[in-house]
Amino acid sequence: MQWLIFLFCLLAFMGFAIAKPNHYKEVLGKRPKGNITSHLNIASWLCLIGSLILSIVTQGAYGSVQFIGYMTVAVLLLVAIFATKPHYFRSLFYLVSFSIVLCSLYWIII
Amino acid sequence: MRESFFRGMTWLHTWVGLLVCWLLFLIFFAGTASFFRHEISLWAQPATHHLPQYNHAFQQQTVTKSIERFQHIAPTAESWRIELPTERRPSLLLMYSEKPEEGERRGKRHSEYLDPITLDALPEFRDTKGGNFFYRLHFDLHYMNAITARWIVCFATLFMLIALISGVVIHKRIFKDLFQFRSKKGLRSWLDAHNVSSVIALPFHIMITYTGLVTLIFMLLPQPAQQRYEDKQTLRAERYPLLATAPATGLPLQELALNKALDHYYTNSGNAPLRRVVISSPNDASATIKLYANAGRAVQDDPPSWMYNAASGELLKTHNVTLSGAENLYGGMIALHTGRLAEPTLRWLYFIAGLAGCVMIATGAVMWAKRLRQKLKRDEKPGFGLKLVESLNLGTIMGLPAATAAFFYANRLLPTELVARADKEVLVFFIVWAIVAIAACYKSDRLAWQLTAKVNALAWAGLPVVSMLTIEGNLVSYLIHKQWVLFGFDALAIGIAVSFLVQARKLGRSQVTPAAPSRRSQREVKI
């Protein structure tokens, strides 16, 4: 459950990052077209709020404190990636999505 | 209007920040270390390393045995206090205070650390402050009156709050540049590092600064309490109702109704583990038993507590069991600040956010000096102010980690039979810090930074080695025996050493190409 909360939080900030034109270009090689950035932003907000709700529902006030810590770590990780190896972003995205599926399955089954 | 507002705010941010940045760095540094207060204390006390994880199911037994021991060793004491082992402190702490002699306000206090199961004294217990040193340093500083120190810390915190808010105001691209860290761009990189370290942990920074003020609020703003209460004693009596003692009857206590009290407590608290048991005036018929619960993960700082009549085992009063709105708010803020509620994951998050704070202050301070140096003309001599800031930067940012390493070395290397050993460890801390600071006054250029980085790297890398040679246990054995706290300490020491090594290499490399001043180093400067 802890992992799931963190992964959703990370995914949300990945969305926020990719919604910025300069990072979008860094990762995907072209400029964002149409209103894709606003879609990304909305999806990211949903992810972030989902993460917060999950955190509070499962752990109460304690969860909300922990959630803020997770946000810090998530942004720190992304800053480090963009500063050093921006092309890792894609791999990270696959890794995060895959882990979310795994964690959800684990949570549902066990 | 808009421009002049921004200019004003920038001015405020720069000068308010610069004025207290070194003190703030010390406060943040010590505070960050204090999140691991009990873990540091555990590392510093090898006698407790082999105690197994305590099972709360044995609590009643431990309390009974402790009382028996008290009856044996301190039958005439004024109060007995049992600090039960927790997840973070595996030893049992027994304390008792003697009756005060005439003219004294308080009786002499004694304390001993024991094995919680057998109640044997721990062999080779060393006199050390451990993590408590950093905890006290965080708000009482050192070598000065505690109240004066708290006032100084209070003002520094107030300045910090101003700097934070003005910083948010002047940072126009706060969300646009959220993930931006441009390396190898000189001053730009320093500014990015300053922004990133502030913004990623901004909720933490604001929370910790504000709640920091709240911890000292009765000192900072005493007027509301003074209006309502006649003097400090009445305020104290209302805030800590269990501290009030009934007048002695002079009659001896027939029997201590401990089991009855414990049964009542366990039934009504939902089997919450105990944290502390206090028995006041154990020889008198007016004796009371106070049971303090372990609040666990609740966002509440003062533990729920129950007070019983020791003769009959009846419940007299409870405190903090149901909280009013104001108590909830105040207790919640203190709990957030101290982080006592945090379990390992959250504790590490607190630690990381604390480090981000250290980086924020360090980069801010360094940036001020760099900016001024850049403005200097070719043959212009740097003024006294710039030199002073540069020396203070080097002395504080690199001196504190070195002094901390020295403090840990002193813990391992000073002979255990030394008189006032704990104070001598602290003395070593300040001597090493003073040496670095004095050296920094003499020279504070890039070479000096590189040298101190190397010294720090060497010192932190050597720490696990020295620990391995002086006490039983090392990194591998900790891993095998799953002693995660000790393993984490040594691993962190190595991590810090690697960071300093990277910093030293960056500083060395950037010397060749002066156009690109060191940029990553600030990350490593953090501890």
Side-chain angles (χ1 to χ4, degrees):
Chain A
M1 181 51 68
Q2 292 296 320
W3 275 106
L4 206 57
I5 295 166
F6 174 65
L7 288 170
F8 268 118
C9 185
L10 181 58
L11 191 68
F13 278 104
M14 288 177 85
F16 284 133
I18 203 88
K20 298 189 194 314
N22 51 343
H23 293 315
Y24 189 95
K25 200 168 171 236
E26 247 178 322
V27 175
L28 298 167
K30 55 188 181 211
R31 294 199 70 77
K33 274 190 218 128
N35 48 9
I36 186 152
T37 43
S38 58
H39 288 169
L40 273 169
N41 272 330
I42 292 167
S44 305
W45 272 113
L46 288 179
C47 252
L48 196 64
I49 291 166
S51 170
L52 176 61
I53 289 174
L54 205 58
S55 193
I56 291 178
V57 166
T58 52
Q59 299 173 80
Y62 185 88
S64 63
V65 182
Q66 192 151 308
F67 170 78
I68 290 171
Y70 283 152
M71 290 207 296
T72 300
V73 175
V75 181
L76 186 65
L77 184 67
L78 291 176
V79 170
I81 284 182
F82 280 119
T84 51
K85 302 260 183 335
H87 54 276
Y88 280 11
F89 187 88
R90 238 178 230 253
S91 326
L92 184 70
F93 176 73
Y94 296 133
L95 188 69
V96 168
S97 322
F98 182 63
S99 311
I100 285 182
V101 174
L102 271 189
C103 286
S104 318
L105 280 178
Y106 179 86
W107 183 52
I108 292 164
I109 296 166
I110 298 167
Chain B
M1 166 64 199
R2 208 179 132 84
E3 266 313 297
S4 76
F5 171 73
F6 273 110
R7 221 173 298 139
M9 279 293 166
T10 313
W11 181 89
L12 186 71
H13 183 76
T14 310
W15 292 103
V16 161
L18 187 75
L19 193 63
V20 289
C21 65
W22 304 287
L23 181 59
L24 276 178
F25 188 81
L26 170 71
I27 296 170
F28 250 80
F29 184 88
T32 306
S34 315
F35 285 135
F36 285 129
R37 176 185 172 194
H38 294 300
E39 285 74 7
I40 293 174
S41 293
L42 179 72
W43 182 88
Q45 197 57 267
T48 60
H49 284 190
H50 296 290
L51 290 179
Q53 185 70 43
Y54 182 71
N55 186 344
H56 292 306
F58 294 122
Q59 279 195 331
Q60 193 153 356
Q61 201 184 332
T62 308
V63 173
T64 317
K65 274 193 191 169
S66 306
I67 302 278
E68 278 167 17
R69 186 177 167 84
F70 274 133
Q71 281 163 343
H72 183 66
I73 60 167
T76 57
E78 196 184 41
S79 73
W80 299 333
R81 177 165 157 177
I82 307 164
E83 294 280 346
L84 285 152
T86 63
E87 289 80 8
R88 298 173 65 199
R89 187 172 49 74
S91 56
L92 171 72
L93 170 60
L94 297 188
M95 289 190 268
Y96 60 91
S97 50
E98 290 173 13
K99 290 213 166 68
E101 284 174 26
E102 260 176 63
E104 276 181 342
R105 208 163 65 83
R106 264 194 203 132
K108 210 173 159 210
R109 290 180 180 185
H110 302 267
S111 60
E112 52 179 11
Y113 288 85
L114 306 170
D115 181 317
I117 302 298
T118 60
L119 258 72
D120 290 334
L122 295 168
E124 289 200 32
F125 201 80
R126 57 182 75 189
D127 180 22
T128 174
K129 284 199 163 75
N132 288 345
F133 167 63
F134 295 101
Y135 177 69
R136 286 279 155 194
L137 185 66
H138 175 59
F139 55 90
D140 278 353
L141 305 178
H142 209 84
Y143 296 127
M144 64 163 76
N145 178 281
I147 299 300
T148 321
R150 283 177 201 185
W151 275 109
I152 295 172
V153 171
C154 228
F155 278 108
T157 317
L158 214 54
F159 273 48
M160 171 86 182
L161 196 61
I162 297 171
L164 270 175
I165 294 166
S166 57
V168 173
V169 170
I170 59 172
H171 188 11
K172 293 176 197 169
R173 298 162 59 86
I174 198 158
F175 288 114
K176 256 186 199 157
D177 284 355
L178 187 56
F179 306 98
Q180 193 87 286
F181 180 75
R182 283 153 290 194
S183 50
K184 293 182 186 155
K185 292 256 172 70
L187 260 182
R188 180 79 243 179
S189 304
W190 282 95
L191 182 61
D192 275 353
H194 186 61
N195 287 344
V196 164
S197 55
S198 341
V199 176
I200 58 165
L202 191 61
F204 170 83
H205 295 328
I206 292 177
M207 177 279 282
I208 212 80
T209 312
Y210 186 74
T211 53
L213 283 175
V214 172
T215 56
L216 297 173
I217 201 75
F218 284 101
M219 191 187 83
L220 193 64
L221 286 174
Q223 287 82 2
Q226 279 168 357
Q227 287 281 320
R228 173 83 171 68
Y229 300 94
E230 274 168 26
D231 51 21
K232 276 187 179 167
Q233 272 69 38
T234 39
L235 170 66
R236 211 174 133 79
E238 189 142 321
R239 271 187 79 196
Y240 309 105
L242 300 198
L243 289 185
T245 43
T249 56
L251 301 167
L253 180 69
Q254 294 304 327
E255 206 194 336
L256 198 64
L258 179 73
N259 285 332
K260 198 176 165 199
L262 281 175
D263 285 344
H264 181 273
Y265 165 80
Y266 282 122
T267 321
N268 289 289
S269 70
N271 267 333
L274 282 168
R275 176 166 113 176
R276 177 187 306 152
V277 177
V278 178
I279 295 167
S280 312
S281 35
N283 291 307
D284 195 86
S286 67
T288 55
I289 302 172
K290 289 173 226 165
L291 303 176
Y292 295 82
N294 191 338
R297 281 161 53 141
V299 186
Q300 171 183 1
D301 199 56
D302 279 333
S305 36
W306 277 259
M307 182 158 119
Y308 296 89
N309 182 323
S312 62
E314 274 169 58
L315 181 68
L316 296 175
K317 280 183 219 173
T318 59
H319 183 46
N320 287 322
V321 175
T322 47
L323 295 174
S324 71
E327 279 173 332
N328 232 331
L329 180 68
Y330 178 74
M333 285 209 233
I334 308 285
L336 283 183
H337 188 89
T338 55
R340 288 195 187 105
L341 62 142
E343 282 171 5
T345 315
L346 183 58
R347 193 160 291 285
W348 277 99
L349 293 174
Y350 259 109
F351 184 71
I352 291 169
L355 285 186
C358 293
V359 176
M360 168 178 76
I361 297 165
T363 47
V366 169
M367 207 160 54
W368 189 91
K370 291 236 167 206
R371 207 169 258 172
L372 216 67
R373 205 163 254 286
Q374 216 175 39
K375 277 190 199 152
L376 285 184
K377 296 198 182 75
R378 185 166 282 255
D379 296 324
E380 203 179 321
K381 279 261 163 69
F384 173 72
L386 178 58
K387 271 190 182 161
L388 179 72
V389 170
E390 282 182 337
S391 308
L392 280 169
N393 281 351
L394 179 61
T396 317
I397 297 167
M398 301 306 269
L400 262 176
T404 307
F407 176 74
F408 292 139
Y409 275 104
N411 177 277
R412 286 291 186 258
L413 294 176
L414 288 182
T416 42
E417 63 278 0
L418 206 65
V419 184
R421 190 175 176 283
D423 293 331
K424 284 183 182 145
E425 285 180 12
V426 176
L427 191 64
V428 170
F429 176 91
F430 283 106
I431 288 175
V432 171
W433 193 12
I435 291 173
V436 178
I438 292 168
C441 291
Y442 171 68
K443 208 166 182 229
S444 59
D445 57 0
R446 170 163 293 141
L447 266 179
W449 277 87
Q450 201 189 352
L451 185 68
T452 44
K454 277 182 186 162
V455 169
N456 263 309
L458 204 66
W460 283 95
L463 201 53
V465 180
V466 168
S467 174
M468 185 176 82
L469 295 175
T470 47
I471 67 155
E472 218 177 301
N474 54 54
L475 209 58
V476 181
S477 78
Y478 296 151
L479 191 65
I480 293 169
H481 296 116
K482 297 184 178 161
Q483 291 172 304
W484 298 122
V485 171
L486 300 170
F487 177 77
F489 190 101
D490 279 7
L492 193 64
I494 293 172
I496 294 167
V498 171
S499 310
F500 276 118
L501 201 65
V502 174
Q503 184 198 8
R505 286 192 53 180
K506 294 262 179 215
L507 284 166
R509 210 178 302 156
S510 49
Q511 205 182 12
V512 187
T513 49
S518 76
R519 47 103 184 173
R520 284 294 265 320
S521 48
Q522 76 282 43
R523 278 216 184 150
E524 282 73 40
V525 174
K526 60 194 174 189
I527 198 170

